[in-house]
Amino acid sequence: MGTDHLRTKTIRSADAEQSKATGGMIALFPRVHDAQKLVVPGGEPLEELHCTLIYLGEDVRGQDPTELIDYLHYVAGNYGPIDAKIFGSAVFNSSSPDPCVVYLVGGSPDITPLYADLKRFVTERYPAAAEQHDPFHPHITAAYGAGVGMAYEGPVLFDRIGLRFPGADQDFPL
């Protein structure tokens, strides 16, 4: 590997760690049994595999997550575990220096309505939140970098919704 590749990977890793420390998101997390099928060598760790529903931004410090936590308690009480299907894989941002390999998630009547409900809530109450990707493409990032082989296709069960927010990380069982 050349030094430019290592330098880019180091900078991306530092940026990712900073975003984890200051950023926020709402995501679906697969049950452990299913997440084990999605892990790829050199990719995201098992406990970090998720399907982002709402990206709140790279730096949410100073915002109060209380209303969001209350709403997620409500949402979790009104949704059960979400059955979906991994139906393929793709490379996002393939022409950038930071491509990622993702599992494509579909086959669920619940994910898109859940996303729409959360987006509406966040837009109304957290106007400083990051703009959401349009259209919404449910996916699970398996690894950063191109050339990672992924062969799993099949069912996945999301058994919790999680809030990642500095000082307020929580999971809510579905």
Side-chain angles (χ1 to χ4, degrees):
M1 255 182 232
T3 57
D4 286 341
H5 174 74
L6 290 175
R7 187 175 315 119
T8 300
K9 187 172 184 169
T10 302
I11 290 169
R12 183 179 43 77
S13 295
D15 289 346
E17 289 307 311
Q18 178 64 32
S19 183
K20 287 178 190 175
T22 62
M25 73 168 175
I26 302 167
L28 290 171
F29 288 85
R31 65 180 172 180
V32 172
H33 173 74
D34 292 341
Q36 290 169 335
K37 299 173 191 174
L38 305 176
V39 174
V40 297
E44 292 293 283
L46 176 99
E47 64 276 1
E48 292 187 24
L49 292 171
H50 64 274
C51 176
T52 302
L53 294 171
I54 300 293
Y55 179 61
L56 298 167
E58 284 187 36
D59 190 349
V60 296
R61 294 174 297 179
Q63 296 182 41
D64 182 0
T66 303
E67 282 187 273
L68 192 50
I69 291 167
D70 291 344
Y71 190 67
L72 290 173
H73 276 291
Y74 168 79
V75 166
N78 286 289
Y79 279 86
I82 295 176
D83 284 305
K85 183 176 183 196
I86 303 295
F87 65 91
S89 60
V91 177
F92 285 0
N93 305 315
S94 61
S95 62
S96 81
D98 196 22
C100 61
V101 183
V102 302
Y103 290 105
L104 302 172
V105 178
S108 171
D110 297 319
I111 293 176
T112 300
L114 175 58
Y115 163 75
D117 289 345
L118 291 167
K119 181 179 177 184
R120 185 173 27 261
F121 181 86
V122 167
T123 301
E124 290 172 3
R125 291 187 175 76
Y126 293 87
E131 186 174 333
Q132 304 307 305
H133 291 290
D134 188 30
F136 173 59
H137 295 289
H139 65 278
I140 298 171
T141 300
Y144 289 91
V148 175
M150 299 174 0
Y152 181 74
E153 290 186 8
V156 61
L157 181 79
F158 295 102
D159 64 357
R160 65 198 187 284
I161 189 167
L163 173 64
R164 299 299 177 259
F165 201 100
D169 286 1
Q170 293 186 43
D171 287 335
F172 306 85
L174 295 172

